[in-house]
Amino acid sequence: MAYHLARARLVLAALGLCASSLAGCAAFSPDGGMTAVSELTSQTINKDVAFVRTPGGAGAVDARVRQLLSRTLSAETAVQIALLNNKGLQAAYNELALAETDLVEQSLPPNPVFSISRISGNGASEIERQVVGDILALATLPFRSEIARDRFRQAQLRAALATLRLAAEVRRAYVRAVAGNEMVVLLTDAKATAESTAQLAVKLGETGSVNKLDQAREQVFYAETTADLATARQTATSAREKLARLMGLWDDGLDFRLPNALPSLPRRPQAQPSIEADAVAHRIDLQIARLELTALAKSLDLTEATRFVTLLDLAGISRRTQDPEGAPFRERGFDVQFQIPIFDGGEVRVRQAAETYNLAFNRLTERAVNVRSEARDAYRAYRSTYDIASHYQREILPLRKIITEEMQLRFSSMQVDIFALLTEARQRLASLRGAIDARRNFFLARSELQAAVNGGGAPATSGDNPTNIAAAAPADGGH
């Protein structure tokens, strides 16, 4: 009996020492896990991120945003404002901080349970004290902590992915807003010219110099240009509002300035012969899926190791009995509780863990195939839109300029009439509108190419979200 009591005390002391040492290892990071997010963002898009958690931090961000808004916005400036000021992104960082709480919780040993009871009657009394420890949860703690670290790393990558997605969306909104401004400027000038021409046609019609057909043509061109201008203004306004939403601007920041035209095309397009390999190596959503597979593999191993034993508690017992007919006496001992796997041998949990792992493996494989295809398609679209925009810039618009100059010379020498000159003006307007659309499509395709290589495109319907089925042994050791 003395041997068993000594052994129980030794086990409880070892458990207490182990618990105290493990508890000292679990702690919250000072930045809520943002260091990894900041490093990934800086390496990928060279931008700063900030997790606003204090009034002082909020004041610093507001000052930085006001400084960036004080000048005409570029695409990169708009992205930086959004990464600092967008509250949806801050909510994603809050989710990261919550994921860290899960990591700390899973890294802590189970708390012992203390109970005390007193029974009395006929002058006799009995007091019993117990300290119960979950041996299974403590034994599996290192494995569960390692899985929790993998999950936290996934959460960091998801926060970085949300950052890249916001940056890509801001670039797209910026391109559409600036292209909308450029189209409004072009159509405003065209409307003024069309209005003057329509008024001239009416006056010439009154003198009999212009027939009704030519008058109607000029009138309808003016009417169509007016409608196109109204549509372009609405499109530009909506694009500006979307950009303002993405940048998280309130009333005092809505008067930001945008350029009236998109920048010129680069001299030559990017050459990326290893576009597929780059995408597979750098895509953050693929990294998330790989970590998911790793965590599920560890969960499967843990489930298989604990399939037969899901409950193992050790209790240290101290009992004091007071008998009125004799001297009080004290008893000490221990109690062990475990389940007998008669009906459930853990096959269900093992099968669930195995199928969850297979599900994640297939989703990862599917995602890898899709990433390679998306990268190829994005680069083809990038090159195609560059060639089209370059064709407008180097061929069509210069030729239109020559034609316009020649028509004006012929009009001055009375070789053509005013209506031939106006017809050419309408054709030149169509070419200018086509050139604006082509440049807009190129810059949008460039943004999509960056997202295809680094991540940041639209969320996938499957394979992009982690598998949430818990395949590991429960944190409480199976209770």
Side-chain angles (χ1 to χ4, degrees), residues 38 40 126 142-143 260 278 369 424 460 472:
S38 179
L40 283 170
E126 183 179 273
F143 305 99
N260 289 325
D278 292 342
V369 172
E424 168 54 31

Side-chain angles (χ1 to χ4, degrees), residues 5 13 22 48 63 97 151 158 192 303 305 319 328 334 386 405 460 479:
L5 289 175
L22 289 173
D48 299 327
R151 298 294 188 192
R158 283 195 294 270
T303 302
R319 181 180 301 157
F334 65 91
Y386 177 85
E405 292 173 350
H479 285 249

Side-chain angles (χ1 to χ4, degrees), residues 187-386:
L187 292 177
T188 299
D189 294 339
K191 178 190 174 184
T193 302
E195 183 179 13
S196 300
T197 303
Q199 292 174 355
L200 176 61
V202 171
K203 293 180 181 179
L204 292 177
E206 292 174 353
T207 63
S209 301
V210 177
N211 57 43
K212 289 186 178 180
L213 178 60
D214 290 334
Q215 290 183 56
R217 284 172 176 166
E218 299 309 319
Q219 289 290 337
V220 76
F221 177 66
Y222 170 61
E224 290 174 346
T225 304
T226 302
D228 289 346
L229 176 59
T231 301
R233 282 175 174 164
Q234 177 57 44
T235 301
T237 301
S238 296
R240 182 185 176 92
E241 284 295 337
K242 182 173 183 179
L243 180 60
R245 289 197 300 272
L246 292 173
M247 292 192 296
L249 299 181
W250 203 247
D251 293 341
D252 55 350
L254 296 178
D255 58 345
F256 59 90
R257 298 190 302 275
L258 293 175
N260 289 325
L262 291 169
S264 301
L265 295 176
R267 290 187 176 182
R268 58 182 62 87
Q270 301 176 18
Q272 292 184 288
S274 58
I275 181 70
E276 296 178 46
D278 292 342
V280 171
H282 297 103
R283 282 284 289 262
I284 293 182
D285 50 353
L286 270 183
Q287 297 180 44
I288 294 174
R290 293 189 190 105
L291 278 175
E292 177 69 15
L293 195 65
T294 300
L296 288 175
K298 295 175 182 177
S299 296
L300 177 58
D301 292 341
L302 181 58
T303 302
E304 290 177 340
T306 60
R307 63 176 299 178
F308 295 113
V309 180
T310 58
L311 171 65
L312 181 58
D313 289 347
L314 175 64
I317 303 173
S318 174
R319 181 180 301 157
R320 184 178 184 276
T321 303
Q322 176 67 53
D323 192 337
E325 297 180 357
F329 61 94
R330 185 181 300 274
E331 299 173 294
R332 294 183 178 87
F334 65 91
D335 177 63
V336 178
Q337 294 185 24
F338 59 90
Q339 281 185 343
I340 301 176
I342 297 177
F343 304 107
D344 182 5
E347 183 179 354
V348 174
R349 293 190 299 118
V350 172
R351 179 66 64 88
Q352 183 187 43
E355 291 304 325
T356 303
Y357 175 84
N358 292 334
L359 182 150
F361 175 80
N362 288 325
R363 282 184 173 174
L364 173 60
T365 305
E366 178 197 25
R367 194 76 196 112
V369 172
N370 293 344
V371 162
R372 290 170 63 90
S373 176
E374 290 168 7
R376 293 193 302 269
D377 188 50
Y379 187 71
R380 280 194 293 264
Y382 167 80
R383 283 304 306 266
S384 176
T385 54
Y386 177 85

Side-chain angles (χ1 to χ4, degrees), residues 171-172 175 262-266 382 385 389 436-450:
R171 285 195 177 92
R172 289 190 285 266
V175 169
L262 291 169
S264 301
L265 295 176
Y382 167 80
T385 54
I436 293 174
D437 290 338
R439 274 189 295 128
R440 179 200 62 194
N441 293 338
F442 165 73
F443 286 109
L444 289 176
R446 186 172 71 173
S447 176
E448 294 296 338
L449 178 61
Q450 294 174 351

